[in-house]
Amino acid sequence: MANYTKVVAADILPELNSLPTDTILPFRDLLLGLFVIVIWALNIIVIKVGVAELPPLLMTTLRFMLVAVLLVPFYPVTRAQLPFLLLLSVTFGSLHFALLFIGLGQAEAGTGALLVQMGTPFATLLAVFFLKEKLGFKRLIGLLLSFAGVIVLAGGPTLPSPLPLSILLMSAFGWAVSQLLIKRGPPIAPLALAGWVALFAVPQVGLGSWLLEYNHLNAIQQASWLGWGAVIYTAVMSSIVAYGIWYTLLRRHPVNRVVPMTLLVPVLAVGLGALLMDDSLGIHKLIGGGLVVAGIALIVIKFRRRPA
């Protein structure tokens, strides 16, 4: 989820890029930003808890239903925007979120959080090939470091088979394609986009759950408060509360002062996975994760010289 803000912030709110970058975040806004980061990092753990009780596609469907109910009535869109939102529901709703939930059911939380961050390098490559954006030396080094980190992660014991790796990387790729579409699509308020994408994704993911999963009613009846709490958390806290706070911060401060905080999400998720889920902290995860985070930092952080 945090990945979404790295590209969208600069596209939906382009005027933010013209603000001065030497402003220090007030302590209150810094705390709000860190609160959002904690929400998104915990979201990885919460999804792991949820898919242990509910089939992943069923849980994704329930999440989308709740997001749509809470947002769509309050964020109307025009009829001309509906085809774009329908297309985005395939790439962002079904491809990204559905595969994210499936992949996290088979991989450790920290490893999953690191692999999903590869959406940023994928989006950078897509922008270079399809939007003819210049790569630059700094971002090239960032790409190389990120993919080197994935290679190191793939060689570690936290991914016992190529399947979770492939699923999570496809989820990251779905996120990247979505960012390419958002760059070229009509401007839509972030919460409106989240609500309508969720609405259009419900039948898609629901059909996938009906075809590929079973015992839906039994799973719903036997789910504990942890399973239902996971559905509510991913919908309300991660999508609505965190989004609302984050875009409030983006309206107040330069993008380059706010967005780099998202680099803390995978780091915190790895730590929470080890603390709460007994995930391993082997050398492969530490080195590979460090390379991924360092590479993404080079991609998303803009270094500018101070004027004399």
Side-chain angles (χ1 to χ4, degrees):
M1 187 65 66
N3 259 330
Y4 177 65
T5 64
K6 294 175 186 174
V7 173
V8 177
D11 297 327
I12 295 182
L13 304 172
E15 68 276 8
L16 295 177
N17 286 325
S18 62
L19 295 174
T21 57
D22 57 351
T23 305
I24 299 176
L25 289 181
F27 184 67
R28 183 193 65 175
D29 288 353
L30 178 61
L31 289 181
L32 286 173
L34 293 177
F35 176 61
V36 173
I37 298 306
V38 171
I39 290 176
W40 281 332
L42 274 174
N43 191 53
I44 303 294
I45 309 298
V46 169
I47 292 175
K48 285 283 296 180
V49 173
V51 296
E53 298 199 10
L54 293 165
L57 290 179
L58 175 60
M59 182 181 172
T60 310
T61 304
L62 295 172
R63 174 206 180 273
F64 281 145
M65 291 173 64
L66 185 55
V67 171
V69 167
L70 294 175
L71 291 181
V72 168
F74 305 101
Y75 292 92
V77 295
T78 66
R79 183 175 297 180
Q81 294 171 331
L82 294 179
F84 169 74
L85 290 168
L86 180 59
L87 175 61
L88 199 61
S89 72
V90 176
T91 61
F92 195 50
S94 297
L95 185 59
H96 170 61
F97 276 106
L99 292 182
L100 173 64
F101 279 53
I102 294 173
L104 286 176
Q106 304 179 49
E108 289 187 354
T111 304
L114 290 167
L115 291 175
V116 171
Q117 295 296 313
M118 290 302 295
T120 299
F122 286 151
T124 302
L125 287 175
L126 289 175
V128 170
F129 285 113
F130 292 101
L131 303 183
K132 307 303 179 183
E133 292 187 2
K134 294 183 179 180
L135 185 58
F137 180 74
K138 180 173 72 71
R139 291 204 297 171
L140 175 61
I141 297 300
L143 288 173
L144 294 176
L145 288 177
S146 299
F147 285 104
V150 172
I151 294 173
V152 174
L153 286 171
T158 58
L159 287 179
S161 72
L163 184 59
L165 172 66
S166 302
I167 291 175
L168 289 168
L169 288 179
M170 280 299 299
S171 172
F173 184 76
W175 178 89
V177 173
S178 301
Q179 305 319 302
L180 194 70
L181 293 175
I182 291 171
K183 275 198 167 213
R184 293 304 190 189
I188 302 175
L191 289 180
L193 188 146
W196 285 88
V197 165
L199 178 65
F200 288 139
V202 167
Q204 302 170 37
V205 183
L207 178 62
S209 177
W210 181 65
L211 293 174
L212 302 175
E213 298 171 342
Y214 54 90
N215 291 336
H216 299 80
L217 185 59
N218 187 49
I220 290 175
Q221 291 175 340
Q222 293 187 358
S224 69
W225 67 270
L226 287 174
W228 288 109
V231 173
I232 295 173
Y233 184 95
T234 59
V236 177
M237 294 300 294
S238 180
S239 293
I240 299 176
V241 174
Y243 261 159
I245 296 174
W246 192 254
Y247 281 97
T248 298
L249 295 177
L250 286 173
R251 284 192 295 268
R252 293 178 182 171
H253 306 286
V255 170
N256 289 337
R257 283 295 178 187
V258 179
V259 170
M261 284 195 289
T262 59
L263 295 171
L264 295 174
V265 172
V267 177
L268 187 57
V270 169
L272 290 173
L275 181 64
L276 302 177
M277 309 291 290
D278 292 327
D279 288 355
S280 62
L281 280 178
I283 190 66
H284 287 83
K285 181 180 290 186
L286 294 176
I287 295 178
L291 289 173
V292 169
V293 173
I296 295 172
L298 288 176
I299 294 173
V300 303
I301 297 178
K302 296 179 181 179
F303 301 100
R304 296 179 180 178
R305 293 181 179 179
R306 287 181 175 272

